[in-house]
Amino acid sequence: GQNIDQPTEMTATEGAIVQINCTYQTSGFNGLFWYQQHAGEAPTFLSYNVLDGLEEKGRFSSFLSRSKGYSYLLLKELQMKDSASYLCAVMDSNYQLIWGAGTKLIIKP
Amino acid sequence: GAVVSQHPSRVICKSGTSVKIECRSLDFQATTMFWYRQFPKKSLMLMATSNEGSKATYEQGVEKDKFLINHASLTLSTLTVTSAHPEDSSFYICSARTSDYEQYFGPGTRLTVT
């Protein structure tokens, strides 16, 4: 079966760095996405990785290792507004997104 | 980035009535759109995949006669919840896929059935 695993909840301090991990087992792989979702709102696109390595975009970076079925989202210089759920999703061989359950990130001052 | 709109953002309806939700890709053409349902504190649940000009593909357990999907053009898909009941109350979110297979979400529609 297809499976995406990510931690349910994480807590970090304002100004610090946090890494949210995602492991996956899917039928085929056509890329991995990270989305941010604030409570009561729809998800917003953060990043897309299809090749191994680190993609940096401002305070957010995303890493992929296809051989290990592993990705992480790295958030630097955390701000209170970063408190949200972070969803990992993998595009399978049919170009469908398989979703993780999301990681709720709590930022404390 | 690509923009997807959804209308209405909130709707309250009485039990037994039908509600239509529109999803539009504003600055790109989307041959494929997706409809999701999200319960409080839960992840997204894919309901159906909508392809322009053809019948939607429903996920297991989703009643196709209750959740009618029409993808009439490359920029518009509609979801109609027929004979709505209180258990249909939820947050419905659409997304549209670009030609590069990136997926962008609409802002969502909160449906409350009384």
Side-chain angles (χ1 to χ4, degrees), chain B residues 8-25:
Chain B
S9 57
R10 288 179 179 270
V11 58
I12 301 172
C13 70
K14 292 187 177 180
S15 187
T17 60
S18 295
V19 174
K20 180 187 283 188
I21 303 169
E22 292 186 349
C23 177
R24 293 181 186 271
S25 56

Side-chain angles (χ1 to χ4, degrees), chain B residues 51-66:
Chain B
N51 291 296
E52 187 266 338
S54 63
K55 290 184 179 180
T57 303
Y58 290 81
E59 295 300 301
Q60 193 172 7
V62 177
E63 299 175 59
K64 61 179 68 176
D65 294 330
K66 180 168 185 61

